[in-house]
């Protein structure tokens, strides 16, 4: 019972910056009521995983689905707490690390793993039958194996999934697409081949809060906890000033999303809040852009043999346009002028976006920036007057900055 101390009382600010006293959520009472079911699969890892397994429908109503199970509880927070078991399913074990979400007042579980296998199914809870049912998705890849990342935005379920490695008919092992939650049909955006890397996922298993636009997720290590915000609209991982370097949530402290407002209550029950915008975000990483970059690099694999002649023609046109652009660049923006701008930043390390501004390429399309940046850096380094090096960021080894010397 020692975790009762940790899970005492959490107070959520539900009225933004208003003066209305927010209701209290007494987790001690919730724990007592859950233990009455006398089922270890319900209370397993409760003190560390409770907030990763609860989804709020509104400010006073939440649903609790213990990780890896088909249990579903409705929890109402009022002057007293009520806990009602909605499900009667008894099969468990294949939905660890699934994506839990509520859409149009219906509860869904997507993906997961367990029993030495991965699950790529979409399950919907039927309140009348009190059971979870698999939803058949039209055009869904028959060899879908594992869900890497997924998020709901504007009634579309975005998903990056892996394909079964035993299938040799595909030349890529990742597919990115979206599921229309009205028609339950899958539309493929593109595929690519890659080794798995952390930059492909923001961590569905560690979601601790969600609104229409944003998701709060936690990355924990032995030393610290890192709390990020995922922007479902832009596909970016954001890091806010409010959650920078805060200690791990202990059951009294907690974070909560209300639309675009982020709330944080620390262990002393002090409440802080910010609106998520440019001024409150100190760093961002474009996860969705990484998908599109890889998809573009592998697009050739999706084209049929009948279109090869047309593709060759397109490639020649693209090369001609690139040549014209390079000639225009040589005329209007020579290397000497760029080096003069870079000299101001000599001895410093700058972000990729800052480098693109100095190179005079930030106005180009995403496809052109990457190749043009590499070409100009190579030319400047060959000249020998300056050296531009790509270095890994100290706080996140998956991303790079640029050193000018």
């Amino acid at each position: 019972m020692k975790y009762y101390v940790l899970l005492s009382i959490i107070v959520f600010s539900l009225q933004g910056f208003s003066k209305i006293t927010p209701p209290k959520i007494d987790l001690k009472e919730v724990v007592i009521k859950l233990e009455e079911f006398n089922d270890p699969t319900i209370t397993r890892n409760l003190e560390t995983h409770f907030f990763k397994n609860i989804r709020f429908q509104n400010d006073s109503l939440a649903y609790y689905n213990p990780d890896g199970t088909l249990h579903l509880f409705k929890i109402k927070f009022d002057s007293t707490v009520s806990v009602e078991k909605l499900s009667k399913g008894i099969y468990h074990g294949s939905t660890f690390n699934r994506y839990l979400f509520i859409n149009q007042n219906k509860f869904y579980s997507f993906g997961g793993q367990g029993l030495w296998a991965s699950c790529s199914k979409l399950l919907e809870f039927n309140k009348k039958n009190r059971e979870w049912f698999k939803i058949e998705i039209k055009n869904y890849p028959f060899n879908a194996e594992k869900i890497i990342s997924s998020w709901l935005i504007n009634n579309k379920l975005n998903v990056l999934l892996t394909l079964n490695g035993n299938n040799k008919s595909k030349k890529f092992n990742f597919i990115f697409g979206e599921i229309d939650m009205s028609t339950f049909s899958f539309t493929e955006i593109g595929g690519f081949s890659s080794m798995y890397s952390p930059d492909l996922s923001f961590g569905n298993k560690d979601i601790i809060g969600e609104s229409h636009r944003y998701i709060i997720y936690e990355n924990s290590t032995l030393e610290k906890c890192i709390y990020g915000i995922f922007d479902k609209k832009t596909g970016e991982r954001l890091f806010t000033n409010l959650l920078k370097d805060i200690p791990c949530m202990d059951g009294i402290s907690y974070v909560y999303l209300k639309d675009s407002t982020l709330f944080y209550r620390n262990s002393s029950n002090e409440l802080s809040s910010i609106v998520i915008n440019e001024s409150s975000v100190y760093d961002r990483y474009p996860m969705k852009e990484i998908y599109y970059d890889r998809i573009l690099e592998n697009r050739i694999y999706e084209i049929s043999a009948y279109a090869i002649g047309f593709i060759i023609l397109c490639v020649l046109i693209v090369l001609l346009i690139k040549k014209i652009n390079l000639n225009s660049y040589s005329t209007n923006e020579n290397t000497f002028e760029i080096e003069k701008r870079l000299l101001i930043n000599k001895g410093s390390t700058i972000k990729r976006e800052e480098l693109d501004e100095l190179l005079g390429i930030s106005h180009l399309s995403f496809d052109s920036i990457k190749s043009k940046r590499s070409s100009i850096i190579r030319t400047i380094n060959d000249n020998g007057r300056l050296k531009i090096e790509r270095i890994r960021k100290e706080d996140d080894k998956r991303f790079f900055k640029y050193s000018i010397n």
Side-chain angles (χ1 to χ4, degrees), residues 136-405:
E136 294 295 335
I137 304 172
K138 303 172 187 175
N139 305 319
Y140 197 64
F142 70 93
N143 55 338
E145 183 176 40
K146 183 178 180 180
I147 308 301
I148 300 299
S149 277
S150 55
W151 64 90
L152 181 74
I153 180 72
N154 295 330
N155 207 39
K156 298 290 181 66
L157 182 60
N158 288 262
V159 55
L160 177 71
L161 53 86
T162 60
L163 303 179
N164 191 313
N166 296 325
N167 182 23
K168 303 300 182 182
S169 63
K170 290 282 186 181
K171 297 198 187 242
F172 42 78
N173 59 340
F174 286 90
I175 282 185
F176 180 55
E178 60 182 22
I179 298 171
D180 188 314
M181 294 297 291
S182 296
T183 61
F184 293 110
S185 59
F186 176 81
T187 300
E188 180 180 325
I189 295 174
F192 58 89
S193 295
S194 176
M195 295 290 290
Y196 174 75
S197 57
D199 64 350
L200 293 176
S201 172
F202 68 90
N204 283 352
K205 66 185 179 67
D206 293 318
I207 292 175
I208 58 175
E210 184 168 6
S211 68
H212 175 73
R213 171 75 181 267
Y214 298 102
I215 286 174
I216 311 174
Y217 68 96
E218 172 189 300
N219 281 342
S220 299
T221 65
L222 294 176
E223 293 82 19
K224 62 184 299 187
C225 296
I226 300 174
Y227 296 96
I229 305 294
F230 181 71
D231 187 331
K232 296 191 284 183
K233 183 177 180 180
T234 64
E236 292 180 304
R237 288 176 290 178
L238 312 176
F239 294 91
T240 65
N241 299 318
L242 181 63
L243 303 183
K244 187 177 183 179
D245 298 326
I246 63 173
C248 296
M249 303 299 169
D250 60 10
I252 299 175
S253 60
Y254 193 57
V255 289
Y256 181 70
L257 271 172
K258 181 70 174 177
D259 299 324
S260 294
T261 303
L262 175 66
F263 298 90
Y264 169 56
R265 184 173 293 280
N266 64 23
S267 297
S268 300
N269 273 320
E270 297 170 335
L271 183 67
S272 304
S273 61
I274 59 167
V275 175
I276 301 172
N277 53 32
E278 289 295 327
S279 63
S280 63
V281 172
Y282 69 87
D283 214 346
R284 63 178 67 228
Y285 299 106
M287 191 178 80
K288 194 173 182 180
E289 182 179 296
I290 292 172
Y291 296 172
Y292 287 142
D293 190 21
R294 287 180 165 103
I295 289 171
L296 288 172
E297 291 175 357
N298 289 270
R299 185 69 72 183
I300 189 64
Y301 296 130
E302 301 176 36
I303 303 173
S304 68
Y306 298 103
I308 289 179
F310 177 75
I311 292 303
I312 292 175
L313 178 61
C314 290
V315 169
L316 291 175
I317 293 174
V318 170
L319 291 175
L320 179 60
I321 293 174
K322 285 186 175 181
K323 184 176 180 181
I324 294 172
N325 288 339
L326 285 173
N327 290 337
S328 175
Y329 167 76
S330 299
T331 302
N332 300 316
E333 191 68 64
N334 58 53
T335 305
F336 180 74
E337 293 296 324
I338 293 177
E339 288 180 345
K340 285 201 305 184
R341 294 199 296 267
L342 291 171
L343 279 172
I344 301 174
N345 293 274
K346 187 174 182 180
S348 62
T349 300
I350 61 176
K351 293 182 178 180
R352 184 190 64 190
E353 294 80 4
E354 296 174 299
L355 178 64
D356 291 343
E357 287 285 346
L358 293 172
L359 299 182
I361 60 175
S362 59
H363 65 284
L364 300 177
S365 66
F366 174 77
D367 298 334
S368 301
I369 286 178
K370 186 176 180 181
S371 59
K372 190 64 67 66
R373 184 194 307 120
S374 298
S375 175
I376 297 175
I377 290 175
R378 185 164 51 249
T379 300
I380 291 175
N381 288 344
D382 289 342
N383 288 342
R385 290 185 289 269
L386 286 171
K387 186 174 182 182
I388 303 175
E389 291 184 289
R390 189 174 71 163
I391 59 175
R392 293 185 182 275
K393 296 182 68 174
E394 294 181 0
D395 57 338
D396 194 333
K397 299 297 185 182
R398 296 166 293 179
F399 299 93
F400 297 89
K401 287 189 176 183
Y402 291 85
S403 174
I404 302 175
N405 296 294

Side-chain angles (χ1 to χ4, degrees), residues 66-81:
D67 193 22
T69 79
L70 298 179
H71 297 303
L72 185 64
F73 297 87
K74 180 168 69 174
I75 304 176
K76 288 185 178 181
F77 301 99
D78 204 338
S79 55
T80 59
V81 175

